Each structure stands twice: as C-alpha cells, then as structure tokens.
Amino acid sequence: MSDLKKIDTTEGTNYSNYSVVDDENTKKILVIGKGRFGSACAQGLKDAYIEVGTDASLVQSNVSLVSATRFMSSDLSSMIEEIADCEFVVYCGTQLPNHSSKLARAMREAKKMSEGEATMEFIDFSNPDPVYEKHDVSGAIDMHLALTKKGDSSSTVMGNGNEENWSASDSSVDDWKVWKITEVGSLDVAGTEGTSRGIVYGAGVSDGEVPRVKMPGLHWVSAPSEKSDLFSEAHLRIMERAEMDRWWDGNVMGLAVF
C-alpha cells in the first residue's frame, strides 16, 4: 500500500477522503460501446480508482473496451467470459432495452464464476432522446428488472437466437446495484476539462449512495433522495422533452396567429 501521491487529494475532489492505494491489485471494468462517448469514458476510467473495503483505500482500475454491436451479438459463453471478474460493467451503447435480458443473464452467470467475493455493478451512461429514441428510455430500469428476475422453467430467447433457461440456482434474487448517470458529455468523462459533475440515479442502492469508482474528471452528485431512483430519471427525461415541445408548439402557434 502507498500514499496517494499519484492523484489529487485536494479537498473537494473525489480522492480527498482516501488515504492509501493498493498498488498490487487492480479491479476490472468492462466498457461496452466504442463510439465517441464510449472511447472517452474508457479513457477517463483508465485513470480511475475503485473504493474497496471500509478502510478508505483505493484500487487502480483495469479497463477493457469492446464494441457494443460485436459484444451484444456474441454468444452467451463469450459474453460471460468477457464479463467474468468485472467490478463494473459500463454501458455506453444504444438500444439497451433490446439487450437487457441477454446482458443480465451473462452478468449473473459471470458473477457466479468470479473469483473471491464478487461485487459486480452496472452503470448506464446512455442518454436516449425521449422522442427519437423513446424505446431506449427505460434501459436502466429494464436492466435492473432483468438482473433481479426470479428463475422459472420457461425458456428465454436471447438476442442471438439461442434459447436459455433460468436454472434453479437463479431463483434467488441477488442484490444488484444499477446506476444511471446523466448530464455528462464526452469531455466530462474523459477528464480533459477539469472536474465536472455527473447526476447519479440508482436502483438497489441507499439514499445518497454513489458508485465506488472514482473518475479523475467527474464528481458524483446524488439526485435528490425523493427523486433518485431510475423511474424518476426516466420521468424527468420525458418531462424535460415535453417542456421543449410545448415551447416549440407555442412559437409555432404564435407565428400562425400573425
């Protein structure tokens, strides 16, 4: 273990409350999505640290970046192998509701195979437009429902056409933390323009809790406790777009009057 000499511990940063770094170990983070945002997110996460234990210690991240299209079209066994031993699975692609069942199954199976005490969590950075991508708005919600789904005897058709059954061991619902991060752009997650804030919503989390991964250019800010769940985030996104639509409609009607 070493002192925090390699990172900024100034008061108000993500690291001001931590005292030691474990130089001997790393924690794996899988970033899904090789687009502009996904690549920037992976860049920022490569310099990130993950909070471990209760002794104010941090562990360096080990980041893998994969194409969302390639990864989600892979067979289930390949996905499980890629996700195994991950501390965080970070989604930066699109159409998450279409992939939630298959991805959740892979995460559940990978968590069983992971060495040691598995604490796998899911972070959704996708920010779909409520009009043009309206079917994507529920992505994080669908993901949490799929991760906590109880097993049954019926088969589930996965995205690649393969049928998979929930086994008897899936009947118990594990505690899964699913995070939704909003109000961030590519430069924010890349950490190239100082410190920005990311608004945090979650399911399976405590009031005021934020992700354990500490990105150098991004400061987590929990949404107000009464509106911090995933449903509140989806509702806020839809209402914000509705306000824009009302403003636009009002302008059009005003022009029509003249």
Side-chain angles (χ1 to χ4, degrees):
M1 308 288 276
S2 65
D3 294 334
L4 290 177
K5 295 180 179 178
K6 294 184 292 183
I7 57 179
D8 180 14
T9 59
T10 306
E11 188 66 30
T13 67
N14 281 336
Y15 308 112
S16 55
N17 296 325
Y18 299 93
S19 58
V20 290
V21 168
D22 184 349
D23 291 328
E24 300 178 357
N25 299 298
T26 61
K27 295 288 187 179
K28 181 180 175 182
I29 298 177
L30 177 66
V31 179
I32 303 174
K34 272 191 170 182
R36 181 171 61 181
F37 186 91
S39 298
C41 188
Q43 176 183 326
L45 286 168
K46 286 179 180 178
D47 294 323
Y49 289 82
I50 299 173
E51 179 185 353
V52 293
T54 58
D55 58 348
S57 60
L58 299 171
V59 171
Q60 178 74 54
S61 63
N62 175 20
V63 180
S64 295
L65 176 64
V66 296
S67 163
T69 302
R70 181 196 65 78
F71 184 72
M72 298 313 306
S73 61
S74 302
D75 58 80
L76 194 62
S77 59
S78 297
M79 292 176 66
I80 294 171
E81 184 178 353
E82 192 83 52
I83 295 173
D85 297 317
C86 278
E87 195 78 4
F88 287 92
V89 175
V90 179
Y91 192 82
C92 301
T94 59
Q95 301 180 351
L96 180 55
N98 294 345
H99 306 306
S100 59
S101 178
K102 183 179 182 181
L103 182 55
R105 178 64 192 275
M107 288 180 62
R108 290 174 65 148
E109 294 296 332
K111 187 176 181 179
K112 295 176 188 175
M113 297 168 51
S114 297
E115 299 178 359
E117 190 174 330
T119 55
M120 193 179 298
E121 300 177 19
F122 182 82
I123 299 179
D124 177 19
F125 269 108
S126 63
N127 284 271
D129 184 280
V131 174
Y132 300 107
E133 299 172 301
K134 60 183 179 181
H135 298 298
D136 288 7
V137 172
S138 64
I141 298 172
D142 292 345
M143 195 66 200
H144 187 255
L145 292 174
L147 283 169
T148 57
K149 176 183 177 182
K150 289 188 176 182
D152 54 44
S153 58
S154 61
S155 60
T156 302
V157 179
M158 313 310 273
N160 60 358
N162 296 328
E163 290 191 355
E164 298 288 345
N165 293 320
W166 297 102
S167 63
S169 60
D170 289 321
S171 59
S172 61
V173 177
D174 293 327
D175 292 329
W176 285 94
K177 294 182 180 181
V178 173
W179 307 97
K180 177 74 176 184
I181 312 299
T182 65
E183 299 189 19
V184 293
S186 300
L187 295 178
D188 300 320
V189 294
T192 58
E193 291 194 344
T195 302
S196 304
R197 69 172 194 168
I199 308 302
V200 178
Y201 300 83
V205 304
S206 305
D207 286 345
E209 186 178 1
V210 296
R212 293 177 296 109
V213 58
K214 311 299 178 184
M215 300 176 69
L218 197 59
H219 179 66
W220 303 129
V221 177
S222 179
S225 58
E226 67 276 8
K227 296 181 179 180
S228 62
D229 59 27
L230 300 179
F231 287 97
S232 296
E233 187 278 329
H235 179 266
L236 178 63
R237 183 178 298 277
I238 294 171
M239 288 299 101
E240 285 180 343
R241 181 56 193 238
E243 290 180 6
M244 294 173 60
D245 289 342
R246 285 197 296 270
W247 178 84
W248 177 257
D249 292 342
N251 281 338
V252 173
M253 291 299 294
L255 292 173
V257 170
F258 291 105

